[in-house]
Amino acid sequence: MTTTAPAGVLAALLPPHVHCAESFGDPSEERLLPLEAAYIQDRSPRRRRQFATARALARQALGALGHPPVPLLPGPGGAPRWPVGVTGSITHTDGYTACAVAGTGRLTSLGIDAEPARPLPRGVLQLVSSASERGGLAELPEGQAPWDTVLFSAKEAAYKAVHPLTGTWAPLAAIAVTVHADGTFTARHPHLPAVRTGSWGVHRGTVVTTLALPPSRAAAA
């Protein structure tokens, strides 16, 4: 497994106090802790490799925060249960796996997503976006990025950032996203009171998006 941390495509899209680890290439056989191995033992070999690679990267990122290795089992919605005082996100797609973590004193939550840098399958964009969002994509520079996939991935990152805070499902179509050609996007989630700004990039055939939610003023006071 080849990893880059913290200097990589993911770290470039997140604040400096977020610790990242990423892997390019096919998921490899990584050592799991006993509880993790028991959880994933009945899944396909490919899914077990994905799961193990993600946990290896997560422990690498958590180590940078000073946390010892602990089992990282999925909670409600499938996201890992992070140690107390930590927020994080994991993503994997063909040829890329990544994790980002931060202390909750620095971020309330964060979401990352990765997708192959190619157009979405036919019909998917219409299912997850509004006519206004699709019109916005048509105004972006042609050939710079697969804009429909950037939009989809940004919605996924926003969902991952908000779901741990609310525990409530929201369809991607309900998350309003505007993609900008400068490597940013804005997202309005139906369960958040304000518009938030995220980042996107394309590297080695992969679209990567991130959304980091800072602590609320009340929590910081």
Side-chain angles (χ1 to χ4, degrees):
M1 179 178 67
T2 302
T3 61
T4 58
V9 58
L10 183 60
L13 301 176
L14 285 163
H17 50 267
V18 178
H19 295 278
C20 306
E22 57 191 354
S23 169
F24 289 92
D26 292 332
S28 56
E29 293 290 346
E30 297 288 339
R31 184 181 298 276
L32 287 169
L33 298 180
L35 287 176
E36 296 169 335
Y39 172 84
I40 202 69
Q41 65 181 349
D42 294 330
R43 307 296 180 88
S44 70
R46 180 175 182 272
R47 179 67 188 108
R48 291 198 301 269
R49 288 194 299 271
Q50 289 177 334
F51 185 90
T53 297
R55 267 62 196 172
L57 293 172
R59 278 188 268 278
Q60 180 179 333
L62 286 168
L65 277 179
H67 286 266
V70 294
L72 297 170
L73 300 177
R81 293 187 179 98
W82 299 103
V84 174
V86 173
T87 183
S89 186
I90 285 173
T91 188
H92 54 77
T93 189
D94 293 343
Y96 182 75
T97 308
C99 174
V101 299
T104 51
R106 307 297 297 270
L107 291 179
T108 298
S109 187
L110 65 91
I112 65 173
D113 186 69
E115 306 289 339
R118 55 177 179 260
L120 295 173
R122 184 186 300 272
V124 173
L125 181 62
Q126 284 68 28
L127 290 175
V128 302
S129 65
S130 66
S132 175
E133 288 172 323
R134 294 191 292 274
L137 297 184
E139 297 176 359
L140 292 168
E142 185 175 353
Q144 181 179 341
W147 296 120
D148 56 346
T149 301
V150 176
L151 179 75
F152 177 88
S153 184
K155 286 172 177 266
E156 287 279 0
Y159 177 86
K160 289 181 177 181
V162 177
H163 183 266
L165 303 178
T166 66
T168 304
W169 178 78
L172 294 187
I175 303 171
V177 167
T178 301
V179 176
H180 305 288
D182 65 355
T184 65
F185 66 87
T186 56
R188 180 181 288 278
H189 193 288
H191 302 147
L192 279 183
V195 174
R196 300 295 184 181
T197 299
S199 300
W200 66 268
V202 180
H203 185 66
R204 292 175 64 171
T206 303
V207 170
V208 181
T209 56
T210 69
L211 183 64
L213 304 181
S216 66
R217 292 181 180 180

